[in-house]
Amino acid sequence: MMINIAFLGYGTVGKGAYKIINEKKSEIEYFVGDEVTVKKILRRNINVTTEDGRAIFTSDFNEIVDDEDISLIVEMTGDLKSSYEYIKRALENKKHVISANKAVVSEYFDEFNKLADKNGVSFLYEAAVGGSIPIITPLKSQAIINKINRVRGILNGTSNYLLSRMYNEGKSYSEVLKDAQELGYAESDPYDDVEGVDTLRKLTILSTIAFNGIVKNEDILRFGISKINDTDIEYLKSKNLKVKLMAESVLESEAFSAVVEPVVLDERDNLYNIEGADNSVEIFGENYSSLVFKGEGAGSLPTGNAIVSDVIDVLRGAALKVKTDESLICSNKIDAKYYVRVPKDFSLDVEVESEEVIGEYKVFKTENVSRETLIEKLNCEDYFMARYEI
Amino acid sequence: MMINIAFLGYGTVGKGAYKIINEKKSEIEYFVGDEVTVKKILRRNINVTTEDGRAIFTSDFNEIVDDEDISLIVEMTGDLKSSYEYIKRALENKKHVISANKAVVSEYFDEFNKLADKNGVSFLYEAAVGGSIPIITPLKSQAIINKINRVRGILNGTSNYLLSRMYNEGKSYSEVLKDAQELGYAESDPYDDVEGVDTLRKLTILSTIAFNGIVKNEDILRFGISKINDTDIEYLKSKNLKVKLMAESVLESEAFSAVVEPVVLDERDNLYNIEGADNSVEIFGENYSSLVFKGEGAGSLPTGNAIVSDVIDVLRGAALKVKTDESLICSNKIDAKYYVRVPKDFSLDVEVESEEVIGEYKVFKTENVSRETLIEKLNCEDYFMARYEI
């Protein structure tokens, strides 16, 4: 019997996944036990062929979702609204769905999982978090047998790349951003990457799986890296510290706190050396201190590889579901020491452990402070903050 | 229906696995779809009870292997000979087998896999490599869809612990060994750990899966850490370098080279910061530069956790097989720069990049040299060597 797959989108990730499925066809078929082929690809411009010369493009989603021979749809568009409709209709038509789209997966996680369950099909999304890193599948398994009480990660290659270059080359934020945009490492509108929106969506997915409970995008606190300047980098570098945009959620007595914000790390930290566009995830549980995963966070073959690992799991009937317990409470009580940089004449009314004037600025290390209180008191324009995770 | 499991052995790992199965009973049963219980445990001294007071011990393996209600046997003994018989008979009696025993898994990998296949049951061994790290399952999946051409790792917690303490505390090899033995981190006979035998067995398993071909224990070259002394540590530390006992295999045009030996790493290396009893594995393939996994390498709950992840995969029918291609050739051609320390009056006839006299010793960094040639020429008693991996 032939298993027919459809792709929605044929950009960087789609091309990578297509290439891997083609090149590893016989290996995949050995483990799946059937012939496997990509039958149709949804794309706006259909006057193209695949790398191996096949004209299998359509611009009409109905041609895919109504095709009874297609049992698996791989969604790799970027758009939130149309992808929601695609995935919903695919699951309702009893087709397995794999998505690389963190926006739609994080927003409709619970709905899609229930819909897949109801229709007896699988819904997987390994490629939506951490690029090449196999994190979703192991995390699901770990969350069954271990009490996972904390998950954190560097999940956005663009922002990590910018911070690495500032740190290593002594260039300003605007210089490295401009450079990254020219090199294609950053979008012309970098908001979602540098303000932590992309990272937040991935944390929503990781936290939901880790804690076996529904975590929503709007539950997660967020502060990005766009306010960082040379003073911050120089000061931290002089102390052999690094700043990273960290996603982190912690579960304490059935209430979780989840935040995406810059953190200050020292060299003993497992994520201190995550540089450039790499991603890393660390999970903490009762059965061990932590597990760390690291790999490329994006790219055609790395992300395509994650897609195809889901394809195999779906087709051999091994996809793991997520059991969500509705009782999970979002507390978002975060008390920590913070690095804060403000104009030197700004008066910050929090207890501090240390304080230093550098040129036009003052930098602090606060005592343990409520994050909420700190932000209230930071009522100035030109500031930067980062949580000490040391 | 009740799924009955039997344990062979109830030591550190067995107790950890038992505890997790008990505590996570309802979660496991939700995903497996059946009730799950540990029915019998094989143990020499049977006058004991489990943590929760059950007298389910037997000293007769026949009582387990002939019990038609038992569908899964978890082997956690240390013995090679009896465990071989146990696993063989269990598979022949159509029982799934999970083993934490790297000695027996590495020695009989191919036989057990074929026997499991023939009898329509699963054979899994996540806990045999890397303790808590989920590496076997992801590696199997990666080896289907990616051409894995290199795998390396720090796989023995004891030797890594010894090296870390020598490096961090400036103590001698014999001092830290004695201390580790008193603390229970090292066996009274530390041979298998410090001479790389344990690491080698794990590399056999990783390489076989990674390369989809049969790698045997006797294929792998090996040199341990017992010859290291203070001069080696001090010299490398002065250059901000570390030495680690590394397992590494590389595949080039269908021939592989595999070696367990000390390597010299600099701070940019992904495994430079693996300290103490931690383990780490790095895999390299065509679809990405590398994936890194890190976690605790041993312990009751960490290793028990790996056992239970296999239990779930077996019971929900998701266990992945390994496809081995008999044509894999062992070339073991290793050319590299080596760190070598010899008595200062010893004349080493290889081309060197640098040379330094330190007290009673000479230390070299060789030019690229054949490992085989180097060892031939190292015909003295008091020497140490480590491959530069920089």
Side-chain angles (χ1 to χ4, degrees):
Chain A
M1 204 187 81
M2 175 71 85
I3 295 171
N4 290 293
I5 303 172
F7 278 14
L8 312 184
Y10 196 65
T12 310
V13 176
K15 282 178 183 137
Y18 188 87
K19 188 165 189 275
I20 295 169
I21 290 174
N22 255 17
E23 288 183 359
K24 292 292 183 177
K25 195 172 164 60
S26 65
E27 287 84 354
I28 293 169
E29 291 177 348
Y30 173 85
F31 284 94
V32 166
D34 274 311
E35 279 189 81
V36 174
T37 196
V38 177
K39 188 182 178 191
K40 287 176 188 166
I41 300 177
L42 183 74
R43 196 171 191 271
R44 206 162 297 161
N45 173 9
I46 63 169
N47 296 318
V48 288
T49 57
T50 61
E51 202 192 39
D52 56 338
R54 297 169 65 212
I56 54 172
F57 292 87
T58 173
S59 57
D60 180 7
F61 179 64
N62 294 315
E63 260 191 50
I64 288 172
V65 79
D66 293 334
D67 185 335
E68 292 194 354
D69 290 340
I70 290 172
S71 54
L72 167 59
I73 292 182
V74 183
E75 188 271 315
M76 297 167 286
T77 72
D79 185 70
L80 181 62
K81 207 174 150 207
S82 60
S83 63
Y84 169 73
E85 292 299 329
Y86 295 154
I87 293 175
K88 190 163 178 268
R89 286 187 58 201
L91 293 171
E92 286 168 348
N93 272 18
K94 301 192 191 311
K95 299 182 191 307
H96 304 293
V97 171
I98 291 168
S99 175
N101 181 341
K102 53 251 174 188
V104 77
V105 174
S106 64
E107 191 68 34
Y108 301 103
F109 191 90
D110 194 43
E111 179 178 342
F112 289 158
N113 275 289
K114 285 186 175 140
L115 204 52
D117 238 25
K118 192 179 148 196
N119 288 284
V121 290
S122 300
F123 172 59
L124 291 185
Y125 35 83
E126 183 64 77
V129 182
S132 67
I133 306 172
I135 180 60
I136 298 292
T137 302
L139 183 60
K140 282 181 185 170
S141 175
Q142 297 296 314
I144 300 169
I145 60 178
N146 194 356
K147 172 95 176 174
I148 306 292
N149 45 36
R150 182 181 170 206
V151 56
R152 63 174 194 149
I154 295 172
L155 300 170
N156 180 270
T158 303
S159 54
N160 202 55
Y161 172 87
L162 297 175
L163 293 173
S164 282
R165 287 198 58 189
M166 287 182 76
Y167 191 90
N168 295 324
E169 299 171 26
K171 287 184 179 163
S172 74
Y173 176 77
S174 56
E175 271 178 298
V176 295
L177 177 59
K178 189 163 168 281
D179 216 31
Q181 285 169 325
E182 281 167 8
L183 290 164
Y185 290 131
E187 308 275 348
S188 56
D189 176 4
Y191 185 88
D192 281 0
D193 289 322
V194 302
E195 297 300 353
V197 176
D198 174 77
T199 301
L200 181 151
R201 289 166 173 158
K202 293 166 179 168
L203 182 60
T204 296
I205 299 169
L206 290 180
S207 308
T208 299
I209 299 169
F211 302 154
N212 298 307
I214 295 160
V215 174
K216 296 197 175 79
N217 282 335
E218 53 269 32
D219 289 334
I220 301 181
L221 304 172
R222 180 172 59 82
F223 183 73
I225 61 162
S226 67
K227 286 173 177 283
I228 199 168
N229 74 13
D230 303 358
T231 302
D232 304 315
I233 296 284
E234 278 161 32
Y235 173 80
L236 295 169
K237 201 170 170 175
S238 75
K239 303 217 173 305
N240 213 18
L241 301 168
K242 285 185 189 172
V243 61
K244 299 284 177 192
L245 183 61
M246 187 74 75
E248 181 154 2
S249 53
V250 176
L251 184 68
E252 278 175 320
S253 31
E254 302 315 308
F256 71 91
S257 299
V259 58
V260 173
E261 68 183 349
V263 295
V264 175
L265 306 177
D266 71 15
E267 57 185 353
R268 293 167 305 179
D269 195 286
N270 280 321
L271 307 192
Y272 181 81
N273 282 318
I274 307 303
E275 294 286 347
D278 276 348
N279 278 199
S280 186
V281 180
E282 184 165 19
I283 64 180
F284 304 75
E286 286 182 354
N287 294 343
Y288 41 67
S289 54
S290 83
L291 293 178
V292 186
F293 303 76
K294 182 198 163 186
E296 280 165 85
S300 180
L301 290 175
T303 311
N305 189 80
I307 293 277
V308 184
S309 73
D310 275 353
V311 168
I312 289 183
D313 278 354
V314 166
L315 297 185
R316 69 188 192 91
L320 259 176
K321 293 189 276 189
V322 175
K323 182 166 167 265
T324 48
D325 169 1
E326 313 275 341
S327 72
L328 205 59
I329 294 157
C330 174
S331 73
N332 275 348
K333 278 188 195 134
I334 295 165
D335 285 279
K337 293 180 178 180
Y338 275 82
Y339 165 86
V340 182
R341 186 255 311 149
V342 290
K344 73 174 173 193
D345 53 358
F346 182 82
S347 168
L348 182 67
D349 177 25
V350 297
E351 293 208 32
V352 300
E353 195 178 298
S354 71
E355 171 171 354
E356 200 173 315
V357 173
I358 305 177
E360 294 304 303
Y361 296 102
K362 255 188 314 202
V363 302
F364 299 97
K365 180 178 187 175
T366 70
E367 293 287 359
N368 262 322
V369 60
S370 139
R371 183 182 186 278
E372 204 180 340
T373 308
L374 177 65
I375 287 179
E376 271 169 27
K377 295 192 171 173
L378 275 168
N379 53 346
C380 63
E381 265 302 296
D382 186 9
Y383 76 93
F384 181 70
M385 58 180 253
R387 192 174 75 248
Y388 272 93
E389 195 146 285
I390 290 175
Chain B
M1 204 187 81
M2 175 71 84
I3 294 171
N4 291 293
I5 303 173
F7 279 12
L8 311 183
Y10 196 65
T12 311
V13 177
K15 283 178 183 133
Y18 187 87
K19 187 166 192 274
I20 295 168
I21 289 174
N22 256 18
E23 288 184 357
K24 291 293 183 176
K25 197 171 163 61
S26 66
E27 286 82 354
I28 293 169
E29 291 177 347
Y30 174 85
F31 283 94
V32 166
D34 273 311
E35 278 189 80
V36 174
T37 196
V38 178
K39 187 182 178 189
K40 288 178 187 163
I41 300 178
L42 183 74
R43 197 169 190 270
R44 206 162 299 161
N45 172 10
I46 63 169
N47 295 318
V48 289
T49 57
T50 59
E51 202 191 39
D52 55 339
R54 296 170 65 212
I56 54 172
F57 293 88
T58 172
S59 58
D60 180 6
F61 179 63
N62 294 314
E63 260 193 48
I64 288 171
V65 78
D66 293 334
D67 185 335
E68 290 193 355
D69 289 342
I70 290 172
S71 55
L72 166 60
I73 293 183
V74 183
E75 189 271 315
M76 295 168 287
T77 73
D79 186 71
L80 182 62
K81 209 176 149 209
S82 60
S83 63
Y84 169 73
E85 292 301 329
Y86 294 155
I87 293 175
K88 191 163 177 271
R89 286 186 56 199
L91 293 172
E92 284 168 350
N93 271 17
K94 301 194 191 310
K95 298 184 190 309
H96 304 293
V97 172
I98 290 168
S99 176
N101 181 340
K102 52 253 172 186
V104 77
V105 174
S106 64
E107 191 68 33
Y108 302 103
F109 191 91
D110 194 42
E111 182 179 340
F112 288 158
N113 274 289
K114 285 185 174 141
L115 204 53
D117 237 26
K118 193 181 146 194
N119 288 285
V121 289
S122 298
F123 172 59
L124 291 186
Y125 35 85
E126 183 64 78
V129 183
S132 67
I133 306 172
I135 179 60
I136 298 292
T137 301
L139 183 60
K140 282 180 184 171
S141 174
Q142 295 297 314
I144 300 169
I145 60 177
N146 193 356
K147 171 95 177 175
I148 306 291
N149 45 37
R150 182 181 171 207
V151 55
R152 63 174 193 148
I154 294 172
L155 300 171
N156 179 269
T158 304
S159 55
N160 202 55
Y161 173 86
L162 298 175
L163 293 173
S164 281
R165 287 200 55 191
M166 288 183 76
Y167 191 91
N168 295 325
E169 300 171 24
K171 288 186 177 160
S172 74
Y173 176 77
S174 55
E175 274 179 296
V176 294
L177 177 59
K178 188 163 169 280
D179 216 33
Q181 285 168 326
E182 283 167 7
L183 290 165
Y185 290 133
E187 309 274 348
S188 55
D189 176 2
Y191 185 88
D192 281 2
D193 289 325
V194 301
E195 296 302 351
V197 176
D198 173 77
T199 302
L200 181 151
R201 289 167 173 157
K202 294 165 177 169
L203 182 60
T204 296
I205 299 169
L206 291 180
S207 307
T208 299
I209 299 168
F211 302 155
N212 297 306
I214 296 160
V215 174
K216 296 196 175 78
N217 283 335
E218 54 268 32
D219 289 336
I220 300 180
L221 304 172
R222 178 172 60 82
F223 183 73
I225 61 161
S226 67
K227 286 173 176 284
I228 198 166
N229 74 13
D230 302 0
T231 303
D232 303 317
I233 296 284
E234 279 162 30
Y235 174 80
L236 294 169
K237 201 170 171 176
S238 75
K239 301 214 174 311
N240 214 17
L241 302 170
K242 284 186 190 171
V243 61
K244 298 284 177 193
L245 183 61
M246 186 75 75
E248 180 154 4
S249 55
V250 176
L251 184 68
E252 277 175 323
S253 30
E254 301 315 308
F256 71 91
S257 299
V259 59
V260 173
E261 67 183 350
V263 296
V264 175
L265 306 176
D266 71 14
E267 59 184 354
R268 293 166 305 178
D269 195 287
N270 280 321
L271 308 191
Y272 181 83
N273 282 318
I274 307 305
E275 294 287 347
D278 276 348
N279 278 199
S280 185
V281 179
E282 183 165 21
I283 64 179
F284 302 77
E286 286 182 354
N287 293 344
Y288 41 67
S289 53
S290 84
L291 293 178
V292 185
F293 303 75
K294 184 198 161 184
E296 279 165 85
S300 180
L301 290 175
T303 311
N305 189 80
I307 294 276
V308 184
S309 74
D310 274 353
V311 169
I312 289 183
D313 278 354
V314 165
L315 297 185
R316 69 188 191 91
L320 258 176
K321 292 189 277 190
V322 175
K323 183 167 167 264
T324 48
D325 169 0
E326 313 275 340
S327 72
L328 205 59
I329 294 157
C330 173
S331 72
N332 275 349
K333 279 190 193 130
I334 296 164
D335 286 278
K337 294 179 179 180
Y338 275 82
Y339 165 84
V340 181
R341 186 256 310 150
V342 291
K344 75 174 172 192
D345 53 358
F346 181 82
S347 169
L348 182 68
D349 178 27
V350 298
E351 294 208 34
V352 299
E353 198 178 294
S354 71
E355 173 174 352
E356 200 172 317
V357 174
I358 305 176
E360 294 304 303
Y361 295 102
K362 255 187 316 199
V363 302
F364 298 97
K365 180 177 187 176
T366 70
E367 293 286 358
N368 263 319
V369 60
S370 140
R371 184 181 186 279
E372 205 181 338
T373 308
L374 176 65
I375 287 178
E376 271 168 30
K377 296 193 171 173
L378 275 168
N379 51 347
C380 63
E381 265 301 298
D382 185 10
Y383 75 92
F384 182 71
M385 58 180 252
R387 193 174 73 248
Y388 272 93
E389 195 146 285
I390 290 172

